[in-house]
């Protein structure tokens, strides 16, 4: 059933940049230190202190913005965003307001399973700012004091603001998934949501079809979403809630202030928190302690040269060069560039991109997960695995026995030939295989009759009998010969 409204979603994504020190001081950004041990007079806002911009943070932001196809401003400045929270010790946040360093980009999204149509989502701006500290509340009993940890205060953030171009929760999830993949490929952030390296605020409202035209509901910003699946679920819930509210109040965009709601992951509902401030409430003004930043053409050229092959281009190359499906290329690329490089070498040495993809996805990835290994630690290098794939392609063993050989190669370090020899696996001569098939057909006239009648599945019984007589037979070849010989009898 088609809903009588269109969902409008825009996302604000805060990404912690992978620097060793904070944005305006030399305090460490390492995660997990004891509370309030990574602070200094600058990041806790002591009077008389002066910030100094972290050049590496700006360089990483520049690379990310180019990867997001943004326009880069040749001149940008820093602004003070004034508001009070206990975890913001200065009483203001150093951010960028009217002259962000990048703007008007885009990110293309798709889904290999076809759940959404491919589309381009606009990027309104990507700008740099410092993070606030962290407030820790007694959420359960609500009686203990709140605690403040300022270790995170001053950590460099890249805020990426999308255009409201997404029309479904599934598109929002796809956008976040692709953006995270891009940023990790670029090496600008680890995007670890559990450690707060990536945080999402989702803005949603509805365009409702009415007899008098289309009406827009008030925008709601949803916070406290701690996974991409939570973003999707929050948007699904909020769309239904907003439509029910619209049917009751008929409030339109502009009638009431923008509302902030928090996502309750346990109850799977949003809860009202506060009305959202407008930009005028923050009383932005240029930071008097920081000089503007000028980006030269040489800096841009250097940043572009460092981008490398991005995920979208990598997926296309895998599909065009090796003939694998969009789903398979997506799985491989999502594992990271190091695993893709492993696949490239394996596909070239094996001479079969599809078989190489199957072995990597089904056996290599399973082994990495079971043994908690990275692909760099994986003991079976591409050349060795390619030997095994070649043996399967040449009919020396079937996939089932090949997996047994694969396990032996992992534990023993043997080559495919050595592991096969140790198991007594030898290729069966075609003449001997024909003789075996004739013997089986002679002993099973009912199966012969079924095969002649077109019931080809009956050959499965003969394969089982053949493997009992000689475990080295190739099941596919046995099936092929039995069907052929039954037709000749």
């Amino acid at each position: 059933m088609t809903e009588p409204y269109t969902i409008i979603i825009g996302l604000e994504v805060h990404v912690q940049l992978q620097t060793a020190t904070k944005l305006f001081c030399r305090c460490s950004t390492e995660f997990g230190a004891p509370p309030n041990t990574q602070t200094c007079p600058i990041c806790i806002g002591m009077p008389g202190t002066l910030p100094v911009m972290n050049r590496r943070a700006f360089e990483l932001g520049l690379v990310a913005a180019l990867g997001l196809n943004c326009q880069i401003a040749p001149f940008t400045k820093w602004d003070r965003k004034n508001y009070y929270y206990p975890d913001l010790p200065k009483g203001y946040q150093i951010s960028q307001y009217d002259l962000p360093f990048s703007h008007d980009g885009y990110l293309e999204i798709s889904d290999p399973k076809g759940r959404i149509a491919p589309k381009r989502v606009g990027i309104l701006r990507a700008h740099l700012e410092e993070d606030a500290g962290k407030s820790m509340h007694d959420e359960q009993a609500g009686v203990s004091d709140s605690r403040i940890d300022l270790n995170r205060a001053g950590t460099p953030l890249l805020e990426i603001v999308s255009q409201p171009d997404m029309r479904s929760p599934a598109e929002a999830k796809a956008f976040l998934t692709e953006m995270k993949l891009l940023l990790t490929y670029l090496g600008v952030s680890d995007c670890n949501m559990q450690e707060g390296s990536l945080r999402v605020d989702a803005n949603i409202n509805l365009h409702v079809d009415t007899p008098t035209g289309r009406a827009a509901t008030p925008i709601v910003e949803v916070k406290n979403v701690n996974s991409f699946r939570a973003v999707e679920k929050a948007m699904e819930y909020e769309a239904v809630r907003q439509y029910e509210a619209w049917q009751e109040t008929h409030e339109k965009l502009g009638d009431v202030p923008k509302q902030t709601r928090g996502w309750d992951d346990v109850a799977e509902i949003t809860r009202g928190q506060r009305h959202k401030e407008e930009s005028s409430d923050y009383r932005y003004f240029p930071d008097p302690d920081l000089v503007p930043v000028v980006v030269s053409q040489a800096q841009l050229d250097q940043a572009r040269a460092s981008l490398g092959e991005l995920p979208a281009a990598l997926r296309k190359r895998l599909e065009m060069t090796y003939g694998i499906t969009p789903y398979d290329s997506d799985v491989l690329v999502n594992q990271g560039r190091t695993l893709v490089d492993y696949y490239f070498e394996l596909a070239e040495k094996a001479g079969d991109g599809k078989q190489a993809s199957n072995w990597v996805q089904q056996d290599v990835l399973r082994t990495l997960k079971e043994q908690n290994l990275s692909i760099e630690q994986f003991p079976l290098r591409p050349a060795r695995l390619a030997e095994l794939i070649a043996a399967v392609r040449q009919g020396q063993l079937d996939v089932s026995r090949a997996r047994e050989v694969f396990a032996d190669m992992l534990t023993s370090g043997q080559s495919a030939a050595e592991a096969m020899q140790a198991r007594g696996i030898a290729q069966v001569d075609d003449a001997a295989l024909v003789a075996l098939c004739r013997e089986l057909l002679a002993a099973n006239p009912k199966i012969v009759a079924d095969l002649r009648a077109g019931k080809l599945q009956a050959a499965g019984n003969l394969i089982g009998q053949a493997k009992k007589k000689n475990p080295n037979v190739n099941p596919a070849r046995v099936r092929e010969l039995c069907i052929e010989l039954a037709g000749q009898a």
Side-chain angles (χ1 to χ4, degrees), residues 253-452:
L253 184 65
D255 290 347
V256 294
K258 181 178 178 180
Q259 186 187 29
T260 296
R261 298 180 69 87
W263 171 246
D264 185 329
D265 206 32
V266 176
E268 295 192 347
I269 61 173
T270 62
R271 302 182 189 275
Q273 293 181 326
R274 60 186 173 89
H275 289 301
K276 180 72 174 177
E277 296 87 350
E278 301 295 333
S279 60
S280 58
D281 295 321
Y282 292 121
R283 306 183 310 283
Y284 283 100
F285 65 87
D287 192 297
D289 294 333
L290 287 162
V291 297
V293 180
V294 176
V295 181
S296 68
Q297 188 60 47
Q299 286 176 299
L300 278 177
D301 293 342
Q302 184 178 4
R304 283 197 179 94
S306 71
L307 293 180
E309 192 172 19
L310 301 182
L314 197 52
R315 282 192 288 261
K316 290 180 182 176
R317 180 154 74 99
L318 286 167
E319 294 160 26
M320 295 291 292
T321 305
Y322 299 106
I324 63 176
T325 66
Y327 175 83
D328 289 341
S329 71
D330 188 65
V331 171
L332 293 172
V333 171
N334 273 278
Q335 301 303 316
R337 184 58 200 243
T338 309
L339 185 129
V340 173
D341 289 338
Y342 181 98
Y343 169 79
F344 277 136
E345 186 177 348
L346 176 62
E348 289 296 327
K349 292 184 182 302
D352 190 325
K354 292 183 179 180
Q355 284 297 318
S357 174
N358 290 341
W359 277 91
V360 168
Q361 291 185 62
Q362 296 173 21
D363 299 274
V364 174
L365 290 181
R366 172 179 52 78
T367 304
L368 296 181
K369 182 177 181 180
E370 289 175 352
Q371 300 185 15
N372 194 27
L373 299 173
S374 67
I375 190 63
E376 295 93 339
Q377 298 168 318
F378 186 60
L380 207 55
R381 302 321 300 161
R384 283 288 173 92
L385 183 53
E387 293 173 8
L388 182 59
I389 294 174
V392 175
R393 295 180 66 206
Q394 294 163 12
Q396 296 178 33
L397 72 171
D398 60 37
V399 173
S400 177
R401 298 213 77 188
R403 289 205 161 92
E404 296 173 2
V405 173
F406 175 85
D408 291 345
M409 293 170 69
L410 282 174
T411 56
S412 68
Q414 294 174 316
S415 67
E418 291 168 341
M420 288 167 62
Q421 184 178 15
R423 277 190 171 265
I425 298 174
Q427 189 168 7
V428 179
D429 179 78
D430 212 44
L433 196 56
V434 170
L436 176 59
C437 290
R438 289 189 188 280
E439 177 188 336
L440 294 172
L441 290 169
N444 295 274
K446 175 66 170 62
I447 294 178
V448 172
D450 288 341
L451 291 175
R452 287 178 176 177

Side-chain angles (χ1 to χ4, degrees), residues 108-119:
E108 292 180 343
I109 63 172
S110 61
D111 180 70
K113 293 184 177 179
R115 290 167 295 193
I116 63 169
K119 77 182 305 181

Side-chain angles (χ1 to χ4, degrees), residues 54-343:
N54 184 331
R55 179 183 292 272
R56 180 59 179 161
F58 192 89
E59 291 171 350
L60 291 176
L62 194 61
V63 167
L66 291 172
L68 291 165
N69 303 291
C70 289
Q71 302 295 312
I72 306 300
F75 176 91
T76 186
K77 65 180 176 65
W78 300 99
D79 298 283
R80 290 187 180 182
K81 181 181 181 181
N82 296 274
Y83 63 99
Y84 173 76
Y85 279 109
D87 54 16
L88 190 70
K90 292 196 294 285
Y92 63 86
Q93 176 191 40
I94 302 177
S95 182
Q96 294 188 299
Y97 176 49
D98 57 330
L99 291 177
F101 82 95
S102 70
H103 57 91
D104 295 321
Y106 64 87
L107 181 65
E108 292 180 343
I109 63 172
S110 61
D111 180 70
K113 293 184 177 179
R115 290 167 295 193
I116 63 169
K119 77 182 305 181
R120 177 177 289 185
V121 176
I123 304 294
L124 176 64
R125 59 191 280 155
H127 67 262
L128 289 165
E129 63 184 22
E130 61 178 345
D131 204 351
K134 182 179 180 181
S135 297
M136 294 165 286
H137 309 293
D138 180 6
E139 300 285 1
Q140 293 184 341
V143 295
S144 298
D145 294 334
S146 292
R147 295 171 295 154
I148 306 296
D149 180 6
L150 296 178
N151 281 350
R152 205 168 66 186
T155 297
L157 296 180
L158 181 69
E159 181 174 356
I160 301 166
V161 183
S162 84
Q163 296 282 7
D165 289 345
M166 287 154 276
R167 296 294 176 265
S168 71
E171 287 187 358
K173 184 180 178 183
F175 174 86
L176 291 169
T177 301
E178 184 67 13
M179 190 198 65
K180 177 182 176 181
L181 185 65
L182 173 68
L183 296 177
T184 52
Y185 263 72
L186 292 172
V188 301
S189 175
D190 61 18
C191 295
N192 188 328
M193 293 191 78
Q194 287 70 35
E195 296 182 0
S197 299
L198 189 152
R199 305 195 293 277
V200 183
D201 296 334
N203 293 276
I204 178 172
N205 75 325
L206 308 178
H207 287 179
V208 183
D209 296 320
T210 72
T212 58
R214 179 164 285 187
T217 64
I219 296 173
V220 168
E221 181 179 37
V222 181
K223 291 181 174 289
N224 303 336
V225 280
N226 56 13
S227 71
F228 295 167
R229 176 61 183 139
V231 172
E232 188 176 26
K233 290 194 292 185
M235 296 298 93
E236 290 168 352
Y237 171 84
E238 187 61 21
V240 174
R241 188 202 66 79
Q242 285 192 27
Y243 185 62
E244 291 174 350
W246 156 261
Q247 290 178 306
E248 182 179 341
T249 67
H250 289 278
E251 289 178 339
K252 300 188 296 296
L253 184 65
D255 290 347
V256 294
K258 181 178 178 180
Q259 186 187 29
T260 296
R261 298 180 69 87
W263 171 246
D264 185 329
D265 206 32
V266 176
E268 295 192 347
I269 61 173
T270 62
R271 302 182 189 275
Q273 293 181 326
R274 60 186 173 89
H275 289 301
K276 180 72 174 177
E277 296 87 350
E278 301 295 333
S279 60
S280 58
D281 295 321
Y282 292 121
R283 306 183 310 283
Y284 283 100
F285 65 87
D287 192 297
D289 294 333
L290 287 162
V291 297
V293 180
V294 176
V295 181
S296 68
Q297 188 60 47
Q299 286 176 299
L300 278 177
D301 293 342
Q302 184 178 4
R304 283 197 179 94
S306 71
L307 293 180
E309 192 172 19
L310 301 182
L314 197 52
R315 282 192 288 261
K316 290 180 182 176
R317 180 154 74 99
L318 286 167
E319 294 160 26
M320 295 291 292
T321 305
Y322 299 106
I324 63 176
T325 66
Y327 175 83
D328 289 341
S329 71
D330 188 65
V331 171
L332 293 172
V333 171
N334 273 278
Q335 301 303 316
R337 184 58 200 243
T338 309
L339 185 129
V340 173
D341 289 338
Y342 181 98
Y343 169 79

